[in-house]
Every structure is written in structure tokens, then in C-alpha cells.
């Protein structure tokens, strides 16, 4: 099986490309929360009202020339819903077989509009690397197209009205996904988190028993949505990211220069395990892929392309794994298949 | 301790979230941690912020509420008391119904109480108003720095806008 081709069929360009500052930034995401003016918010509206909203979304798709497709969450199986979560097209909360829930997706998989999530409409655009302004530009266009097709709840005083007061105003949540092994290995995670807090940004990561977060991957996003313009929010987050990128590169270089032998050993051990192991959990795979990606980005492993590691970080997740091999797998089988898929992809490059 | 998400498996991972320097923790099992976390753009736990928010709404710094608990939104019927518990509005009209109390809340969770961002295009009147405000502010600045050429341009632009919009 030509895995490169298969992966690309399943993954959108924000995963299969590195994008600006791709050695540190995995992706940028824009989310705009919008509501219909004449229907109660999803948590309290009747099914009949919400179906009316879904029908509006359907008509919007039919009239749009973006080749959008509306997927009804109740019309697909559990693995397919989970696949949408893993591709970041819907939130985990949206992945349920409810007749009122839907998602509009673009053919390239870079745009999605969740229908009847916490708000009636959640527009989302994803881009590779650090590219918040471009992502916003596209989200803004989609927002205008939606507003031309249906009445959107807005007040000049409070802006776009949302179910939760934490999203009101711009309705804008901008996020950047960062790979920060330099920060983690040098024990700076708490400092970065502290800086984020002072700057009105939120940082999230997965922590296991006081050790490093899984795959050293963090997501930073703006905390407030009201009181700043979209441009201010985007510029603030982008300039914070630029600083963190510079710091991450400096720390990587420092670690590489000061602990060369240990560093090289760790990177190649990770590559060895990924190339030969027979069983692998997704957590272990994330840890090892993170280390190898760091090795590539620092030029220690010259033959590999960093984007392959980025792709693998996504395809090893349970639902996508099952979609790629085309069969239903239990947790044990997944560990076997995951290890096999990684081995095969890496050996195709080496040969 | 059992996992706080599924309540079935034992918790062996602590999930930490830091919001504005406030740390919140959840104890999860391996499986749930994998589902909510790694490489995910999801909203994370969804639990902590909602709790923070209703906590903020219930603890009134001023000792009294501007909006009586039984005040309700005429459109969806949500009472202010219910909003305080859930932290969620029922519809777009709730913003008007609870307007007086909102300034206080928004000051604490947002960067301000007034929208400074995008204006929808179909609402042309509104955008003309903000454009007018912008031009008037610029005119004031131009006069202050004695840039009369720019001030004359701005005055013409303001007059044109007023005429066009019937303002």
C-alpha cells in the first residue's frame, strides 16, 4: 500500500504541509461563534426549532459555490464521528448521534461549520503553521456568506451574541498548536504557562503524572472575546507565538549543544523503536514521534521530512487508524496496526 | 480514586489546565485522557470553566444583584436565577433582559463590556455610525495637531457620509 498517497487522501493540507514556522508550529485555527437571531440557543431550543436551523444550513450549502457538504451526525457511524473529531472538524462534544447536529465541511477539509453545537453555528478554519491572519480572512468570508443567507444574532453594544458570555463580542477563538520539546526538556513549562496567564492567553497540554505533556504539544488561545477587535486578538496571539518560537529554537539549540551525546541517543532510540516495534499505544507513539520530529527539525536525522511525523501524529489516532486500514479494530489490534503502519511508513522512506 | 470523566476506570493521569494563572486539575484514566487530550483542538474538559463562571455569577462582589432573581427573558423564559446556575443564555434576547447585570459580569470575564470588533455587512446603518465616530475622532486629532489640510478632508468625508446615510 502506498501510504503517502493513502495518508494524503485522508488528511487535509493543514496536516500534510508544514506552513510558516513549521518547525515549531503545527497549525493555526480560527473559530467564530454565531447564532441565528430568531431561534433559541441549542441547549434550550426544541428539536423542531433546531431542525429548522439545520434546514437553513442545508439551503446555504446548496446555494454556496464552495462545494460544501452537510454531514448529519446521526447519519454516520460512531467511528466516522470520531474520525471528524480526530481531523478537528468537530469538537468531541459534537460527536453524538443527535438528529439536530450537523457539520458543513469543505472538500479540502480546512473549513468546517458545526451546526447546533453550543451555538447554532461555529465556523472553523484550519491552516498549517503560524497563519492566523490568513485563516481569519477565510473565516470572515464564510461569516459574510452565512450572514447573507440567514439572520445572525448581533447587537451593536455586545457584538455577536453567544450562548456563553465567555464567547460574546467577536465570537473569535484563535488557537495555535505548538510543538515545544525544548521548553519541556529544559523545565520551562510552568514559566511559559505563567506568561500566558499574564497576557490573557490560555495554554493547554496533556500532563501524565507530573511528567511531560504527551508529545510536548500545547495549544495556546485567546481568553477574551469582547473588548478587543479581531485584529487586536490575532496580532496579540501571533506576536506571543513569535516570541515563544524564538525561545523554543534557542532552547533546542542549547540542549543540542550542551548535551549532544544524550540528545542524539534519545532521538535515535525513538527512531529505532518506531522503526521496529510491534505494538504501540498512541501515547507511546506520540512521545517517540515528538522526539524524532525534534531530531529532524534540528537536522540530526537528515533523511526524514518533518511533515511525515506531523502526519503520523494524526493518523495513529484510533478512528483514523481504522479508516485507513478499512476495518474495525479493538484496542489490542489497534496497537498492533499502529506499530505496523508507522514501521511501514518509515521503511518506505528509508528504502 | 476513580476517573472524573467516565467514573468507571481508576484515575492515573492528572490533567492540568491553567486559565489566567488559575490552575484547575482533573484526575482521569488513561483512556479518557487520551480522548480529551493529545493533539486535540477540543475544548479540553469543558468542566472547569463552566464551574468557574457560575461561581463568579453566584458570588456577588457588590453584595446585591441589580437584577432580581425572578427577572426572566420574555422571549425564552430563562430566569436570572437559572442563568446564574448554568452560566448559559437561552437566546439572543437574554442579553437585553439581563443587561444591567451583564456589565458587572463582563468586566470580570472579558476585556471590556462593549464590542469593538466586526460589524455585520447587512447592518449598514450600524457600520456607518461607527465609521462616523471614527472619522470624527480623527478630525478631532487632526485639529489638535493643527493639520488643517487633513481636517478639511475629514470634514468633507463626514458630511458626505451623513448625507448618504441620512444620519
Amino acid at each position: 500500500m502506498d501510504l503517502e498517497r493513502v495518508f494524503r487522501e485522508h488528511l487535509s493540507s493543514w496536516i500534510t504541509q508544514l506552513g510558516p514556522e513549521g518547525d515549531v508550529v503545527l497549525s493555526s485555527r480560527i473559530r467564530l461563534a454565531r447564532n441565528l437571531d430568531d431561534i433559541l440557543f441549542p441547549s434550550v431550543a426544541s428539536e423542531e426549532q433546531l431542525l429548522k436551523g439545520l434546514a437553513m444550513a442545508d439551503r446555504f450549502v446548496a446555494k454556496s459555490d464552495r462545494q460544501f457538504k452537510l454531514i448529519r451526525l446521526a447519519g454516520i457511524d460512531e467511528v466516522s464521528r470520531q474520525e471528524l473529531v480526530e481531523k478537528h472538524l468537530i469538537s468531541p462534544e459534537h460527536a453524538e448521534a443527535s438528529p439536530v447536529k450537523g457539520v458543513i465541511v469543505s472538500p479540502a477539509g480546512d473549513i468546517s461549520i458545526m451546526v447546533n453545537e453550543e451555538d447554532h453555528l461555529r465556523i472553523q478554519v484550519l491552516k498549517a503553521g503560524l497563519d492566523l491572519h490568513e485563516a481569519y480572512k477565510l473565516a470572515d468570508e464564510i461569516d459574510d456568506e452565512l450572514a447573507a443567507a440567514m439572520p445572525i444574532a448581533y447587537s451593536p453594544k455586545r457584538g455577536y451574541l453567544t450562548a456563553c458570555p465567555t464567547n460574546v463580542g467577536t465570537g473569535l477563538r484563535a488557537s495555535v498548536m505548538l510543538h515545544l520539546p525544548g521548553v519541556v526538556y529544559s523545565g520551562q513549562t510552568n514559566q511559559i504557562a505563567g506568561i500566558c496567564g499574564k497576557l490573557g492567553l490560555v495554554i493547554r497540554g496533556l500532563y501524565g503524572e507530573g511528567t511531560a505533556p504527551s508529545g510536548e504539544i500545547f495549544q495556546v488561545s485567546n481568553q477574551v472575546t469582547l473588548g478587543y477587535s479581531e485584529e487586536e486578538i490575532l496580532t496579540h496571539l501571533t506576536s506571543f507565538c513569535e516570541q515563544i518560537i524564538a525561545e523554543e529554537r534557542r532552547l533546542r539549540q542549547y540542549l543540542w549543544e550542551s548535551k549532544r551525546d544524550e540528545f542524539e541517543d534519545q532521538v535515535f532510540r525513538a527512531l529505532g523503536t518506531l522503526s521496529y516495534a510491534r505494538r504501540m499505544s498512541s501515547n507511546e507513539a506520540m512521545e517517540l514521534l515528538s522526539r524524532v520530529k525534534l531530531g529532524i527539525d534540528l537536522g540530526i536525522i537528515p533523511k526524514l521530512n518533518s511533515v511525515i511525523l506531523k502526519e503520523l501524529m494524526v493518523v495513529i489516532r484510533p478512528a483514523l487508524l481504522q479508516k485507513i486500514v478499512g476495518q474495525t479494530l479493538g484496542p489490542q489490534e489497534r496497537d498492533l496496526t499502529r506499530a505496523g503502519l508507522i514501521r511501514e511508513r518509515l521503511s518506505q522512506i528509508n528504502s | 480514586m476513580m476517573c472524573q470523566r467516565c467514573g468507571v476506570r481508576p484515575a492515573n493521569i492528572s490533567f492540568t489546565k491553567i486559565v489566567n494563572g488559575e490552575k484547575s486539575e482533573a484526575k482521569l484514566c488513561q483512556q479518557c485522557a487520551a480522548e480529551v487530550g493529545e493533539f486535540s483542538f477540543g475544548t479540553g474538559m469543558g468542566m472547569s470553566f463552566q464551574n468557574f463562571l457560575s461561581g463568579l455569577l453566584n458570588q456577588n462582589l457588590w453584595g446585591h444583584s441589580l437584577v432580581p432573581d425572578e427577572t426572566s427573558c420574555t422571549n425564552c423564559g430563562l430566569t436570572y436565577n437559572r442563568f446564574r446556575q448554568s452560566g448559559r443564555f437561552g437566546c439572543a434576547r437574554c442579553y437585553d433582559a439581563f443587561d444591567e447585570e451583564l456589565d458587572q459580569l463582563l468586566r470580570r470575564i472579558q476585556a471590556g463590556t462593549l464590542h469593538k470588533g466586526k460589524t455585520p455587512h447587512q447592518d449598514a446603518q450600524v457600520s456607518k455610525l461607527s465609521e462616523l465616530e471614527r472619522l470624527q475622532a480623527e478630525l478631532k486629532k487632526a485639529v489638535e495637531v493643527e493639520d488643517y489640510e487633513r481636517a478639511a478632508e475629514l470634514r468633507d468625508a463626514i458630511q458626505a457620509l451623513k448625507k448618504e446615510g441620512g444620519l
Side-chain angles (χ1 to χ4, degrees):
Chain A
M1 167 155 76
D2 177 0
L3 284 181
E4 182 171 359
R5 192 179 53 75
V6 175
F7 283 6
R8 270 152 212 239
E9 274 168 20
H10 282 85
L11 303 175
S12 49
S13 59
W14 66 271
I15 300 166
T16 61
Q17 288 168 7
L18 274 190
E21 324 293 350
D23 58 331
V24 180
V25 182
L26 296 171
S27 57
S28 299
R29 184 193 71 154
I30 293 293
R31 189 219 64 197
L32 296 175
R34 299 290 186 255
N35 282 285
L36 297 169
D37 202 28
D38 46 1
I39 297 178
L40 305 190
F41 292 152
S43 68
V44 292
S46 67
E47 186 173 313
E48 193 193 341
Q49 280 187 311
L50 294 174
L51 286 174
K52 215 175 103 189
L54 197 61
M56 261 191 237
D58 210 4
R59 284 196 296 278
F60 167 75
V61 167
K63 275 200 279 178
S64 166
D65 46 19
R66 290 187 186 269
Q67 274 129 19
F68 280 139
K69 195 171 83 180
L70 174 71
I71 300 169
R72 286 164 204 269
L73 274 300
I76 54 175
D77 62 21
E78 179 57 31
V79 178
S80 302
R81 282 191 290 271
Q82 221 43 56
E83 185 194 9
L84 290 171
V85 176
E86 291 173 8
K87 288 178 168 176
H88 303 290
L89 294 171
I90 64 171
S91 63
E93 296 78 26
H94 202 54
E96 62 180 36
S98 152
V100 300
K101 285 183 187 290
V103 60
I104 296 171
V105 294
S106 65
D110 56 343
I111 307 168
S112 74
I113 307 167
M114 279 188 275
V115 184
N116 295 329
E117 210 244 22
E118 181 184 298
D119 293 301
H120 292 134
L121 301 164
R122 287 260 171 113
I123 305 163
Q124 190 189 256
V125 174
L126 291 150
K127 290 266 174 203
L130 183 63
D131 210 359
L132 287 172
H133 282 87
E134 277 305 304
Y136 177 73
K137 225 167 95 186
L138 185 51
D140 188 36
E141 284 172 23
I142 309 287
D143 182 38
D144 289 345
E145 291 164 21
L146 278 169
M150 50 193 93
I152 300 294
Y154 174 87
S155 100
K157 185 175 178 185
R158 310 285 191 202
Y160 290 96
L161 305 175
T162 53
C164 187
T166 54
N167 293 318
V168 72
T170 56
L172 167 65
R173 191 81 58 207
S175 318
V176 177
M177 196 142 44
L178 299 150
H179 183 223
L180 302 176
V183 168
V184 174
Y185 297 157
S186 54
Q188 307 283 312
T189 314
N190 286 341
Q191 280 87 324
I192 297 282
I195 295 166
C196 279
K198 289 198 182 88
L199 295 174
L201 301 170
V202 186
I203 187 162
R204 295 189 181 92
L206 183 74
Y207 291 71
E209 291 293 338
T211 61
S214 170
E216 288 81 47
I217 290 165
F218 296 85
Q219 183 196 323
V220 184
S221 50
N222 61 305
Q223 165 78 355
V224 303
T225 54
L226 179 72
Y228 292 127
S229 69
E230 289 83 2
E231 180 56 35
E232 285 171 317
I233 292 170
L234 298 176
T235 305
H236 181 57
L237 183 55
T238 301
S239 68
F240 169 77
C241 286
E242 280 163 356
Q243 289 178 58
I244 217 174
I245 292 163
E247 186 64 8
E248 168 66 20
R249 285 181 186 145
R250 194 183 63 76
L251 289 167
R252 285 180 187 184
Q253 208 56 42
Y254 172 76
L255 286 170
W256 166 227
E257 278 160 17
S258 62
K259 300 179 179 176
R260 213 176 185 99
D261 294 342
E262 194 190 327
F263 207 90
E264 224 169 20
D265 183 57
Q266 288 293 325
V267 165
F268 279 100
R269 268 171 193 277
L271 182 59
T273 309
L274 288 170
S275 304
Y276 294 103
R278 260 48 190 172
R279 284 181 56 187
M280 190 154 310
S281 71
S282 60
N283 272 349
E284 186 187 6
M286 285 300 285
E287 296 296 326
L288 299 174
L289 290 168
S290 165
R291 252 173 255 173
V292 174
K293 185 174 185 303
L294 174 63
I296 299 168
D297 292 334
L298 273 169
I300 303 173
I301 310 174
K303 265 204 317 198
L304 276 172
N305 182 342
S306 188
V307 83
I308 291 159
L309 280 290
K310 193 177 162 189
E311 285 176 18
L312 282 170
M313 283 175 170
V314 180
V315 298
I316 56 158
R317 308 206 63 197
L320 258 166
L321 198 64
Q322 297 179 61
K323 287 281 173 183
I324 280 172
V325 299
Q327 48 184 301
T328 313
L329 304 168
Q332 304 284 328
E333 296 166 303
R334 286 207 291 269
D335 285 358
L336 291 171
T337 308
R338 182 177 295 115
L341 202 69
I342 295 171
R343 270 202 323 271
E344 202 181 325
R345 184 74 185 101
L346 293 178
S347 73
Q348 282 179 3
I349 298 148
N350 286 327
S351 61
Chain B
M1 177 171 189
M2 295 317 257
C3 170
Q4 292 176 346
R5 186 166 178 263
C6 65
V8 179
R9 295 174 287 265
N12 53 9
I13 284 177
S14 82
F15 188 97
T16 310
K17 190 165 163 182
I18 296 162
V19 179
N20 270 347
E22 293 243 19
K23 204 164 130 187
S24 64
E25 263 186 343
K27 303 282 183 203
L28 302 179
C29 67
Q30 195 113 20
Q31 192 170 331
C32 287
E35 281 169 28
V36 298
E38 58 169 43
F39 206 55
S40 166
F41 259 145
T43 48
M45 294 303 297
M47 47 129 227
S48 50
F49 199 76
Q50 216 51 42
N51 291 349
F52 277 138
L53 189 60
S54 56
L56 276 175
L57 285 160
N58 282 312
Q59 151 227 82
N60 196 312
L61 287 180
W62 287 262
H64 64 92
S65 177
L66 297 169
V67 177
D69 276 358
E70 60 282 3
T71 305
S72 62
C73 169
T74 50
N75 186 43
C76 70
L78 182 82
T79 61
Y80 189 67
N81 193 31
R82 183 84 196 86
F83 168 64
R84 283 191 359 177
Q85 285 162 17
S86 69
R88 303 277 168 114
F89 294 110
C91 70
R93 305 287 160 275
C94 290
Y95 279 87
D96 292 331
F98 309 136
D99 190 56
E100 284 176 67
E101 192 78 349
L102 278 186
D103 277 349
Q104 217 181 83
L105 169 69
L106 293 173
R107 259 197 294 276
R108 289 150 86 183
I109 61 168
Q110 295 281 10
T113 60
L114 299 177
H115 180 52
K116 273 182 69 185
K118 180 176 176 176
T119 307
H121 290 295
Q122 89 268 36
D123 209 342
Q125 202 65 9
V126 175
S127 81
K128 272 184 195 130
L129 259 176
S130 63
E131 174 70 3
L132 191 66
E133 279 169 13
R134 194 184 64 76
L135 289 172
Q136 280 167 340
E138 221 179 303
L139 173 64
K140 206 175 143 204
K141 237 185 258 167
V143 173
E144 269 167 22
V145 299
E146 301 186 0
D147 181 353
Y148 296 115
E149 205 174 315
R150 177 86 185 119
E153 277 171 29
L154 288 164
R155 189 200 52 214
D156 292 346
I158 289 168
Q159 276 169 355
L161 192 68
K162 277 184 176 169
K163 215 175 183 179
E164 177 196 339
L167 294 167

